[in-house]
Amino acid sequence: MVDAMGRGSRLAKWLEEGKFAVPDMQRETIDIHYTTALFTRARVPDVTCSLHQFAPGGPQPVDHSHGDGPLSAVAAYAVEDDQWQVVVIGGPRRRKSSHQDIRETCAGLPKVFQEATKSEAIGDPESFSYAQSMRRSLRDGAQFPGGLLDIGDCVASFNPIHGQGVWSAVRQASLLADHLTENADPLGTLDAFIAARDKDVDEIWSSEEANT
């Protein structure tokens, strides 16, 4: 069984109820707010994804902040169904950004951001808060019940500004695929996969801690 339920996983509670070892939790406070909006896309763009980060205390193209919540970054992605996905990331007390807010912000950014927001808006923007990054790991010598493992954000979640979460999840999935296809007894050697996965995740977590 593979738990890929993300940050909301109830695995720890189930393990505790079953009187199994429960992973320790490390937390790093982040406190950011981000809004995701969709726009129509007329063509396959020259640049399909881009990230623009604003230096702390530096100039803001348009300040739509509340309190101490200035912009941290803006990202644009060419996604499926001929759409642009644009994400505006800021501090904990930023209000929700409208499509027009995002257009005004992107007007002062490189061309890819202007192209991503010039077309028709789709639906309503969605806003989310991210309070903390989390790293779950078993103590030395502790084990999950046989045949059970966690993966992705169940193992570690990362500050979305740095884009490490997707990279970590892909790496973990790749390691698991290799383990399942290259071992005659993948269940019997699951500890080897967990050790390799944790080594990989810990490297990213250490980098994340340095960049929170």
Side-chain angles (χ1 to χ4, degrees), residues 25 29 33 37 42 45 56 94 121 127 157 187 205 207:
M25 178 83 75
T29 299
H33 182 86
R94 278 188 54 79
S127 291
S157 60
L187 287 179
W205 179 261
S207 172

Side-chain angles (χ1 to χ4, degrees), residues 33-35 52-66 68-74 87-91 94-95 97 101-102 104-106 109 161:
H33 182 86
Y34 58 100
T35 298
H52 187 93
Q53 291 186 274
F54 301 99
Q60 300 276 308
V62 178
D63 189 0
H64 297 297
S65 65
H66 271 189
D68 61 351
L71 287 171
S72 298
V74 179
V87 184
V88 177
I89 306 170
R94 278 188 54 79
R95 68 173 169 85
S97 297
D101 289 339
I102 294 171
E104 291 175 8
T105 296
C106 291
L109 299 183
I161 290 178

